[in-house]
Amino acid sequence: MTKPLIGCTTYYINAFEENKHRFIVAQDHFTSAIDDPLSIHRAGGIPVPIPLIDEDEYIDSLLDRLDGLMFIGGSDVSPSLYGQPYKKGLGHIDPARDKFELKLLDKAVKRNLPLFGICRGLQLLNVYFGGTLVQDIERGYPTEINHAGFFAPKSSISHKVKLSKEHMLYPCFGKEELAVNSFHHQMIDKLGDGLEAAAISEDGIIEAIVHKQYPFLVAVQWHPEMMFETEQEQLKLFQLFVDFIKNSQECVQVSS
């Protein structure tokens, strides 16, 4: 069987706004950590990094070829997209990336393309479906857990999450509790339409979501792509995503 093509979003870096990752000549460019595409590869898919080219013909042609779409971590989602003013604690936002990824997501949803989100990806999916975010946990949610562990090793355990027995992550891992890392300072406030919490942290923060009606939509707040090489069970999330696509392709082939 042909390996499924999985599109992976990327960071967009403006040469005149960012003071890092520059070439000798100032140029806009896109990038991602190797962990993101590597996780898809190890799970049996072919990762396809997606540069920010905000043209409908390009996006449509790309989605016509892809079998699934993964939204990776990165900058904060603009509060204007969920009807809030900017508050203290808001981090870097990237309006161009927000606009592009929401367009990409909207076109993907209209195709029922399987979707997987990580960190910012979870937050973007929640906002797309009409949900809201807490702009900064430290200022907006009382907790003793350090969710923004930005200076910790990437695979370090920050806290545990409890998996809902009603959703697919529970059979995916075969247990109710999972240890995870944490590199976020925002969180879901109001859940978007059709979304349900599939994992909750020890302090009550939503750490994973699924959609009740959508064929496959899973997103997590932690970073499994940073963990799977030392905590192999974290690869099960990517295998769940890729295997769903493979099984769907098999069903199409049998029916045709």
Side-chain angles (χ1 to χ4, degrees):
M1 176 184 291
T2 303
K3 292 183 177 182
L5 293 175
I6 311 295
C8 302
T9 58
T10 57
Y11 291 81
Y12 171 67
I13 299 175
N14 184 302
F16 298 101
E17 293 179 358
E18 297 287 343
N19 219 4
K20 55 187 177 179
H21 302 302
R22 292 193 181 185
F23 299 115
I24 294 175
V25 177
Q27 295 174 278
D28 295 348
H29 57 286
F30 72 97
T31 185
S32 77
I34 190 62
D35 296 331
D36 296 297
L38 184 61
S39 60
I40 294 296
H41 166 68
R42 293 285 176 81
I46 298 176
V48 181
I50 301 175
L52 196 161
I53 302 175
D54 193 358
E55 297 176 3
D56 287 326
E57 183 179 358
Y58 160 74
I59 297 173
D60 289 335
S61 296
L62 178 66
L63 292 177
D64 287 343
R65 292 164 171 81
L66 293 178
D67 302 303
L69 194 56
M70 182 169 81
F71 289 85
I72 70 167
S75 55
D76 291 354
V77 178
S78 174
S80 64
L81 297 171
Y82 48 94
Q84 291 186 10
Y86 296 2
K87 299 178 182 179
K88 288 183 178 180
L90 180 68
H92 175 72
I93 60 172
D94 188 339
R97 183 179 176 187
D98 287 345
K99 179 175 178 287
F100 172 75
E101 289 189 358
L102 284 171
K103 181 184 290 187
L104 180 71
L105 175 56
D106 186 59
K107 289 176 177 291
V109 167
K110 290 174 180 175
R111 289 170 164 78
N112 281 327
L113 205 65
L115 303 171
F116 182 63
I118 296 173
C119 198
R120 168 191 159 88
L122 171 141
Q123 296 164 6
L124 187 80
L125 285 163
N126 187 59
V127 169
Y128 173 80
F129 284 100
T132 62
L133 305 175
V134 172
Q135 293 184 36
D136 185 61
I137 293 172
E138 187 173 340
R139 289 174 170 82
Y141 189 84
T143 179
E144 292 299 315
I145 294 178
N146 180 17
H147 287 274
F150 298 124
F151 299 105
K154 66 178 184 178
S155 61
S156 59
I157 303 301
S158 176
H159 60 83
K160 295 179 180 179
V161 299
K162 186 175 183 180
L163 305 177
S164 168
K165 292 184 178 180
E166 300 178 1
H167 300 107
M168 67 182 77
L169 295 193
Y170 177 77
C172 174
F173 288 100
K175 57 184 181 181
E176 192 173 1
E177 197 171 74
L178 185 69
V180 301
N181 60 5
S182 191
F183 299 98
H184 66 104
H185 81 106
Q186 297 195 309
M187 58 175 275
I188 288 177
D189 185 11
K190 172 182 170 288
L191 269 172
D193 297 336
L195 298 176
E196 293 185 345
I200 303 289
S201 64
E202 298 163 276
D203 54 358
I205 289 177
I206 295 173
E207 290 277 340
I209 56 173
V210 297
H211 195 285
K212 293 185 292 186
Q213 287 85 36
Y214 199 81
F216 186 98
L217 186 156
V218 174
V220 297
Q221 186 63 79
W222 71 92
H223 284 266
E225 83 284 4
M226 296 184 187
M227 298 185 72
F228 74 85
E229 291 189 295
T230 56
E231 307 292 334
Q232 294 184 357
E233 66 180 350
Q234 292 287 342
L235 192 62
K236 291 180 179 180
L237 281 167
F238 302 99
Q239 291 170 333
L240 178 71
F241 180 39
V242 172
D243 287 349
F244 174 86
I245 296 170
K246 288 181 177 179
N247 292 336
S248 298
Q249 291 173 336
E250 287 180 355
C251 290
V252 170
Q253 290 174 355
V254 170
S255 62
S256 59

PDB file of all heavy atoms in Angstrom, residues 195-224:
ATOM      1  N   LEU A 195     -16.732  19.877  19.651  1.00  0.00           N
ATOM      2  CA  LEU A 195     -15.508  19.350  20.252  1.00  0.00           C
ATOM      3  C   LEU A 195     -15.783  18.831  21.659  1.00  0.00           C
ATOM      4  O   LEU A 195     -16.630  19.363  22.381  1.00  0.00           O
ATOM      5  CB  LEU A 195     -14.434  20.436  20.306  1.00  0.00           C
ATOM      6  CG  LEU A 195     -13.965  20.999  18.964  1.00  0.00           C
ATOM      7  CD1 LEU A 195     -12.972  22.132  19.193  1.00  0.00           C
ATOM      8  CD2 LEU A 195     -13.337  19.912  18.102  1.00  0.00           C
ATOM      9  N   GLU A 196     -15.045  17.788  22.043  1.00  0.00           N
ATOM     10  CA  GLU A 196     -15.151  17.235  23.389  1.00  0.00           C
ATOM     11  C   GLU A 196     -13.754  17.028  23.958  1.00  0.00           C
ATOM     12  O   GLU A 196     -12.799  16.753  23.213  1.00  0.00           O
ATOM     13  CB  GLU A 196     -15.913  15.914  23.377  1.00  0.00           C
ATOM     14  CG  GLU A 196     -17.379  16.054  23.004  1.00  0.00           C
ATOM     15  CD  GLU A 196     -18.140  14.747  23.114  1.00  0.00           C
ATOM     16  OE1 GLU A 196     -17.499  13.675  23.203  1.00  0.00           O
ATOM     17  OE2 GLU A 196     -19.396  14.792  23.107  1.00  0.00           O
ATOM     18  N   ALA A 197     -13.631  17.141  25.264  1.00  0.00           N
ATOM     19  CA  ALA A 197     -12.353  16.924  25.932  1.00  0.00           C
ATOM     20  C   ALA A 197     -12.067  15.428  26.009  1.00  0.00           C
ATOM     21  O   ALA A 197     -12.889  14.657  26.507  1.00  0.00           O
ATOM     22  CB  ALA A 197     -12.381  17.533  27.329  1.00  0.00           C
ATOM     23  N   ALA A 198     -10.903  15.025  25.513  1.00  0.00           N
ATOM     24  CA  ALA A 198     -10.507  13.619  25.532  1.00  0.00           C
ATOM     25  C   ALA A 198      -9.424  13.344  26.564  1.00  0.00           C
ATOM     26  O   ALA A 198      -9.105  12.187  26.842  1.00  0.00           O
ATOM     27  CB  ALA A 198     -10.023  13.189  24.146  1.00  0.00           C
ATOM     28  N   ALA A 199      -8.818  14.401  27.120  1.00  0.00           N
ATOM     29  CA  ALA A 199      -7.822  14.265  28.181  1.00  0.00           C
ATOM     30  C   ALA A 199      -7.810  15.543  29.003  1.00  0.00           C
ATOM     31  O   ALA A 199      -7.924  16.638  28.461  1.00  0.00           O
ATOM     32  CB  ALA A 199      -6.434  13.981  27.607  1.00  0.00           C
ATOM     33  N   ILE A 200      -7.653  15.366  30.317  1.00  0.00           N
ATOM     34  CA  ILE A 200      -7.640  16.499  31.248  1.00  0.00           C
ATOM     35  C   ILE A 200      -6.405  16.382  32.136  1.00  0.00           C
ATOM     36  O   ILE A 200      -6.073  15.290  32.622  1.00  0.00           O
ATOM     37  CB  ILE A 200      -8.903  16.505  32.141  1.00  0.00           C
ATOM     38  CG1 ILE A 200     -10.175  16.547  31.282  1.00  0.00           C
ATOM     39  CG2 ILE A 200      -8.875  17.671  33.122  1.00  0.00           C
ATOM     40  CD1 ILE A 200     -10.419  17.852  30.582  1.00  0.00           C
ATOM     41  N   SER A 201      -5.724  17.496  32.366  1.00  0.00           N
ATOM     42  CA  SER A 201      -4.545  17.486  33.232  1.00  0.00           C
ATOM     43  C   SER A 201      -4.970  17.419  34.702  1.00  0.00           C
ATOM     44  O   SER A 201      -6.151  17.564  35.043  1.00  0.00           O
ATOM     45  CB  SER A 201      -3.696  18.737  32.993  1.00  0.00           C
ATOM     46  OG  SER A 201      -4.414  19.900  33.355  1.00  0.00           O
ATOM     47  N   GLU A 202      -3.981  17.225  35.559  1.00  0.00           N
ATOM     48  CA  GLU A 202      -4.249  17.107  36.990  1.00  0.00           C
ATOM     49  C   GLU A 202      -4.891  18.357  37.570  1.00  0.00           C
ATOM     50  O   GLU A 202      -5.579  18.293  38.594  1.00  0.00           O
ATOM     51  CB  GLU A 202      -2.945  16.800  37.727  1.00  0.00           C
ATOM     52  CG  GLU A 202      -2.304  15.481  37.316  1.00  0.00           C
ATOM     53  CD  GLU A 202      -0.845  15.398  37.749  1.00  0.00           C
ATOM     54  OE1 GLU A 202       0.015  15.922  37.010  1.00  0.00           O
ATOM     55  OE2 GLU A 202      -0.582  14.827  38.825  1.00  0.00           O
ATOM     56  N   ASP A 203      -4.673  19.504  36.942  1.00  0.00           N
ATOM     57  CA  ASP A 203      -5.243  20.757  37.432  1.00  0.00           C
ATOM     58  C   ASP A 203      -6.457  21.209  36.626  1.00  0.00           C
ATOM     59  O   ASP A 203      -6.895  22.349  36.727  1.00  0.00           O
ATOM     60  CB  ASP A 203      -4.179  21.855  37.451  1.00  0.00           C
ATOM     61  CG  ASP A 203      -3.495  22.036  36.105  1.00  0.00           C
ATOM     62  OD1 ASP A 203      -3.815  21.286  35.160  1.00  0.00           O
ATOM     63  OD2 ASP A 203      -2.612  22.910  35.984  1.00  0.00           O
ATOM     64  N   GLY A 204      -6.995  20.323  35.800  1.00  0.00           N
ATOM     65  CA  GLY A 204      -8.253  20.604  35.119  1.00  0.00           C
ATOM     66  C   GLY A 204      -8.170  21.225  33.751  1.00  0.00           C
ATOM     67  O   GLY A 204      -9.196  21.582  33.164  1.00  0.00           O
ATOM     68  N   ILE A 205      -6.976  21.369  33.189  1.00  0.00           N
ATOM     69  CA  ILE A 205      -6.814  21.953  31.858  1.00  0.00           C
ATOM     70  C   ILE A 205      -7.086  20.892  30.788  1.00  0.00           C
ATOM     71  O   ILE A 205      -6.652  19.745  30.907  1.00  0.00           O
ATOM     72  CB  ILE A 205      -5.403  22.547  31.700  1.00  0.00           C
ATOM     73  CG1 ILE A 205      -5.280  23.815  32.554  1.00  0.00           C
ATOM     74  CG2 ILE A 205      -5.088  22.866  30.236  1.00  0.00           C
ATOM     75  CD1 ILE A 205      -3.902  24.443  32.543  1.00  0.00           C
ATOM     76  N   ILE A 206      -7.805  21.291  29.743  1.00  0.00           N
ATOM     77  CA  ILE A 206      -8.078  20.375  28.630  1.00  0.00           C
ATOM     78  C   ILE A 206      -6.787  20.128  27.862  1.00  0.00           C
ATOM     79  O   ILE A 206      -6.169  21.062  27.358  1.00  0.00           O
ATOM     80  CB  ILE A 206      -9.158  20.955  27.695  1.00  0.00           C
ATOM     81  CG1 ILE A 206     -10.491  21.062  28.443  1.00  0.00           C
ATOM     82  CG2 ILE A 206      -9.308  20.083  26.441  1.00  0.00           C
ATOM     83  CD1 ILE A 206     -11.572  21.788  27.662  1.00  0.00           C
ATOM     84  N   GLU A 207      -6.391  18.866  27.781  1.00  0.00           N
ATOM     85  CA  GLU A 207      -5.114  18.499  27.161  1.00  0.00           C
ATOM     86  C   GLU A 207      -5.271  17.740  25.845  1.00  0.00           C
ATOM     87  O   GLU A 207      -4.285  17.508  25.148  1.00  0.00           O
ATOM     88  CB  GLU A 207      -4.296  17.657  28.134  1.00  0.00           C
ATOM     89  CG  GLU A 207      -3.767  18.433  29.338  1.00  0.00           C
ATOM     90  CD  GLU A 207      -2.486  19.189  29.036  1.00  0.00           C
ATOM     91  OE1 GLU A 207      -1.800  18.832  28.062  1.00  0.00           O
ATOM     92  OE2 GLU A 207      -2.163  20.140  29.783  1.00  0.00           O
ATOM     93  N   ALA A 208      -6.497  17.357  25.502  1.00  0.00           N
ATOM     94  CA  ALA A 208      -6.738  16.703  24.213  1.00  0.00           C
ATOM     95  C   ALA A 208      -8.202  16.885  23.850  1.00  0.00           C
ATOM     96  O   ALA A 208      -9.075  16.923  24.730  1.00  0.00           O
ATOM     97  CB  ALA A 208      -6.385  15.216  24.270  1.00  0.00           C
ATOM     98  N   ILE A 209      -8.454  17.003  22.564  1.00  0.00           N
ATOM     99  CA  ILE A 209      -9.820  17.153  22.074  1.00  0.00           C
ATOM    100  C   ILE A 209     -10.073  16.213  20.903  1.00  0.00           C
ATOM    101  O   ILE A 209      -9.151  15.804  20.183  1.00  0.00           O
ATOM    102  CB  ILE A 209     -10.126  18.604  21.631  1.00  0.00           C
ATOM    103  CG1 ILE A 209      -9.129  19.079  20.566  1.00  0.00           C
ATOM    104  CG2 ILE A 209     -10.144  19.538  22.832  1.00  0.00           C
ATOM    105  CD1 ILE A 209      -9.467  20.450  19.966  1.00  0.00           C
ATOM    106  N   VAL A 210     -11.340  15.876  20.717  1.00  0.00           N
ATOM    107  CA  VAL A 210     -11.812  15.162  19.532  1.00  0.00           C
ATOM    108  C   VAL A 210     -13.092  15.852  19.082  1.00  0.00           C
ATOM    109  O   VAL A 210     -13.669  16.659  19.812  1.00  0.00           O
ATOM    110  CB  VAL A 210     -12.096  13.668  19.827  1.00  0.00           C
ATOM    111  CG1 VAL A 210     -10.817  12.950  20.236  1.00  0.00           C
ATOM    112  CG2 VAL A 210     -13.158  13.520  20.917  1.00  0.00           C
ATOM    113  N   HIS A 211     -13.518  15.545  17.871  1.00  0.00           N
ATOM    114  CA  HIS A 211     -14.771  16.092  17.359  1.00  0.00           C
ATOM    115  C   HIS A 211     -15.796  14.965  17.253  1.00  0.00           C
ATOM    116  O   HIS A 211     -15.491  13.885  16.758  1.00  0.00           O
ATOM    117  CB  HIS A 211     -14.566  16.744  15.992  1.00  0.00           C
ATOM    118  CG  HIS A 211     -15.698  17.635  15.572  1.00  0.00           C
ATOM    119  ND1 HIS A 211     -16.901  17.136  15.125  1.00  0.00           N
ATOM    120  CD2 HIS A 211     -15.823  18.995  15.543  1.00  0.00           C
ATOM    121  CE1 HIS A 211     -17.708  18.142  14.822  1.00  0.00           C
ATOM    122  NE2 HIS A 211     -17.085  19.276  15.072  1.00  0.00           N
ATOM    123  N   LYS A 212     -17.011  15.237  17.705  1.00  0.00           N
ATOM    124  CA  LYS A 212     -18.027  14.195  17.802  1.00  0.00           C
ATOM    125  C   LYS A 212     -18.475  13.662  16.444  1.00  0.00           C
ATOM    126  O   LYS A 212     -18.749  12.471  16.296  1.00  0.00           O
ATOM    127  CB  LYS A 212     -19.250  14.741  18.564  1.00  0.00           C
ATOM    128  CG  LYS A 212     -18.977  15.032  20.029  1.00  0.00           C
ATOM    129  CD  LYS A 212     -20.251  15.454  20.755  1.00  0.00           C
ATOM    130  CE  LYS A 212     -20.750  16.810  20.285  1.00  0.00           C
ATOM    131  NZ  LYS A 212     -21.913  17.281  21.113  1.00  0.00           N
ATOM    132  N   GLN A 213     -18.573  14.562  15.452  1.00  0.00           N
ATOM    133  CA  GLN A 213     -19.096  14.133  14.154  1.00  0.00           C
ATOM    134  C   GLN A 213     -18.032  13.989  13.061  1.00  0.00           C
ATOM    135  O   GLN A 213     -18.248  13.287  12.081  1.00  0.00           O
ATOM    136  CB  GLN A 213     -20.156  15.136  13.668  1.00  0.00           C
ATOM    137  CG  GLN A 213     -21.479  15.083  14.411  1.00  0.00           C
ATOM    138  CD  GLN A 213     -21.488  15.917  15.672  1.00  0.00           C
ATOM    139  OE1 GLN A 213     -20.886  16.981  15.711  1.00  0.00           O
ATOM    140  NE2 GLN A 213     -22.178  15.451  16.696  1.00  0.00           N
ATOM    141  N   TYR A 214     -16.918  14.666  13.218  1.00  0.00           N
ATOM    142  CA  TYR A 214     -15.916  14.675  12.147  1.00  0.00           C
ATOM    143  C   TYR A 214     -15.262  13.293  12.025  1.00  0.00           C
ATOM    144  O   TYR A 214     -15.019  12.630  13.041  1.00  0.00           O
ATOM    145  CB  TYR A 214     -14.857  15.736  12.462  1.00  0.00           C
ATOM    146  CG  TYR A 214     -14.043  16.169  11.265  1.00  0.00           C
ATOM    147  CD1 TYR A 214     -14.536  17.109  10.373  1.00  0.00           C
ATOM    148  CD2 TYR A 214     -12.791  15.629  11.025  1.00  0.00           C
ATOM    149  CE1 TYR A 214     -13.792  17.515   9.281  1.00  0.00           C
ATOM    150  CE2 TYR A 214     -12.035  16.022   9.934  1.00  0.00           C
ATOM    151  CZ  TYR A 214     -12.545  16.967   9.059  1.00  0.00           C
ATOM    152  OH  TYR A 214     -11.803  17.351   7.975  1.00  0.00           O
ATOM    153  N   PRO A 215     -14.963  12.849  10.795  1.00  0.00           N
ATOM    154  CA  PRO A 215     -14.395  11.505  10.608  1.00  0.00           C
ATOM    155  C   PRO A 215     -13.151  11.221  11.453  1.00  0.00           C
ATOM    156  O   PRO A 215     -13.051  10.170  12.090  1.00  0.00           O
ATOM    157  CB  PRO A 215     -14.063  11.474   9.110  1.00  0.00           C
ATOM    158  CG  PRO A 215     -15.032  12.431   8.501  1.00  0.00           C
ATOM    159  CD  PRO A 215     -15.226  13.517   9.509  1.00  0.00           C
ATOM    160  N   PHE A 216     -12.182  12.145  11.453  1.00  0.00           N
ATOM    161  CA  PHE A 216     -11.018  12.011  12.336  1.00  0.00           C
ATOM    162  C   PHE A 216     -10.485  13.394  12.644  1.00  0.00           C
ATOM    163  O   PHE A 216      -9.940  14.077  11.768  1.00  0.00           O
ATOM    164  CB  PHE A 216      -9.906  11.165  11.697  1.00  0.00           C
ATOM    165  CG  PHE A 216      -8.767  10.892  12.650  1.00  0.00           C
ATOM    166  CD1 PHE A 216      -8.695   9.691  13.349  1.00  0.00           C
ATOM    167  CD2 PHE A 216      -7.764  11.831  12.866  1.00  0.00           C
ATOM    168  CE1 PHE A 216      -7.656   9.439  14.248  1.00  0.00           C
ATOM    169  CE2 PHE A 216      -6.725  11.600  13.755  1.00  0.00           C
ATOM    170  CZ  PHE A 216      -6.672  10.392  14.446  1.00  0.00           C
ATOM    171  N   LEU A 217     -10.627  13.796  13.887  1.00  0.00           N
ATOM    172  CA  LEU A 217     -10.046  15.042  14.368  1.00  0.00           C
ATOM    173  C   LEU A 217      -9.588  14.802  15.799  1.00  0.00           C
ATOM    174  O   LEU A 217     -10.402  14.574  16.690  1.00  0.00           O
ATOM    175  CB  LEU A 217     -11.057  16.190  14.316  1.00  0.00           C
ATOM    176  CG  LEU A 217     -10.521  17.595  14.653  1.00  0.00           C
ATOM    177  CD1 LEU A 217     -11.404  18.676  14.021  1.00  0.00           C
ATOM    178  CD2 LEU A 217     -10.414  17.837  16.155  1.00  0.00           C
ATOM    179  N   VAL A 218      -8.272  14.820  15.984  1.00  0.00           N
ATOM    180  CA  VAL A 218      -7.656  14.645  17.301  1.00  0.00           C
ATOM    181  C   VAL A 218      -6.602  15.724  17.462  1.00  0.00           C
ATOM    182  O   VAL A 218      -5.857  16.021  16.518  1.00  0.00           O
ATOM    183  CB  VAL A 218      -6.996  13.248  17.446  1.00  0.00           C
ATOM    184  CG1 VAL A 218      -6.246  13.146  18.771  1.00  0.00           C
ATOM    185  CG2 VAL A 218      -8.040  12.146  17.350  1.00  0.00           C
ATOM    186  N   ALA A 219      -6.534  16.324  18.645  1.00  0.00           N
ATOM    187  CA  ALA A 219      -5.483  17.310  18.920  1.00  0.00           C
ATOM    188  C   ALA A 219      -5.084  17.203  20.383  1.00  0.00           C
ATOM    189  O   ALA A 219      -5.915  16.918  21.246  1.00  0.00           O
ATOM    190  CB  ALA A 219      -5.959  18.725  18.593  1.00  0.00           C
ATOM    191  N   VAL A 220      -3.802  17.438  20.646  1.00  0.00           N
ATOM    192  CA  VAL A 220      -3.283  17.356  22.012  1.00  0.00           C
ATOM    193  C   VAL A 220      -2.535  18.641  22.349  1.00  0.00           C
ATOM    194  O   VAL A 220      -1.958  19.295  21.476  1.00  0.00           O
ATOM    195  CB  VAL A 220      -2.359  16.139  22.205  1.00  0.00           C
ATOM    196  CG1 VAL A 220      -3.138  14.845  21.995  1.00  0.00           C
ATOM    197  CG2 VAL A 220      -1.157  16.181  21.270  1.00  0.00           C
ATOM    198  N   GLN A 221      -2.536  18.985  23.645  1.00  0.00           N
ATOM    199  CA  GLN A 221      -1.875  20.201  24.091  1.00  0.00           C
ATOM    200  C   GLN A 221      -0.391  19.973  24.355  1.00  0.00           C
ATOM    201  O   GLN A 221       0.413  20.900  24.257  1.00  0.00           O
ATOM    202  CB  GLN A 221      -2.566  20.728  25.344  1.00  0.00           C
ATOM    203  CG  GLN A 221      -2.068  22.065  25.837  1.00  0.00           C
ATOM    204  CD  GLN A 221      -2.294  23.188  24.868  1.00  0.00           C
ATOM    205  OE1 GLN A 221      -3.384  23.724  24.746  1.00  0.00           O
ATOM    206  NE2 GLN A 221      -1.249  23.575  24.135  1.00  0.00           N
ATOM    207  N   TRP A 222      -0.010  18.754  24.685  1.00  0.00           N
ATOM    208  CA  TRP A 222       1.409  18.463  24.900  1.00  0.00           C
ATOM    209  C   TRP A 222       2.114  18.193  23.569  1.00  0.00           C
ATOM    210  O   TRP A 222       1.514  18.319  22.496  1.00  0.00           O
ATOM    211  CB  TRP A 222       1.568  17.303  25.882  1.00  0.00           C
ATOM    212  CG  TRP A 222       1.182  15.937  25.406  1.00  0.00           C
ATOM    213  CD1 TRP A 222       1.999  15.007  24.819  1.00  0.00           C
ATOM    214  CD2 TRP A 222      -0.112  15.309  25.487  1.00  0.00           C
ATOM    215  NE1 TRP A 222       1.299  13.855  24.538  1.00  0.00           N
ATOM    216  CE2 TRP A 222       0.006  14.009  24.947  1.00  0.00           C
ATOM    217  CE3 TRP A 222      -1.357  15.712  25.985  1.00  0.00           C
ATOM    218  CZ2 TRP A 222      -1.069  13.123  24.882  1.00  0.00           C
ATOM    219  CZ3 TRP A 222      -2.431  14.830  25.919  1.00  0.00           C
ATOM    220  CH2 TRP A 222      -2.281  13.570  25.373  1.00  0.00           C
ATOM    221  N   HIS A 223       3.396  17.835  23.622  1.00  0.00           N
ATOM    222  CA  HIS A 223       4.191  17.648  22.407  1.00  0.00           C
ATOM    223  C   HIS A 223       4.689  16.204  22.292  1.00  0.00           C
ATOM    224  O   HIS A 223       5.835  15.898  22.631  1.00  0.00           O
ATOM    225  CB  HIS A 223       5.380  18.613  22.400  1.00  0.00           C
ATOM    226  CG  HIS A 223       5.018  20.021  22.075  1.00  0.00           C
ATOM    227  ND1 HIS A 223       5.080  20.529  20.801  1.00  0.00           N
ATOM    228  CD2 HIS A 223       4.572  21.033  22.856  1.00  0.00           C
ATOM    229  CE1 HIS A 223       4.689  21.801  20.809  1.00  0.00           C
ATOM    230  NE2 HIS A 223       4.379  22.123  22.051  1.00  0.00           N
ATOM    231  N   PRO A 224       3.861  15.311  21.762  1.00  0.00           N
ATOM    232  CA  PRO A 224       4.283  13.913  21.607  1.00  0.00           C
ATOM    233  C   PRO A 224       5.439  13.744  20.630  1.00  0.00           C
ATOM    234  O   PRO A 224       6.216  12.793  20.731  1.00  0.00           O
ATOM    235  CB  PRO A 224       3.021  13.217  21.100  1.00  0.00           C
ATOM    236  CG  PRO A 224       2.231  14.306  20.438  1.00  0.00           C
ATOM    237  CD  PRO A 224       2.495  15.526  21.261  1.00  0.00           C
TER     238      PRO A 224
END
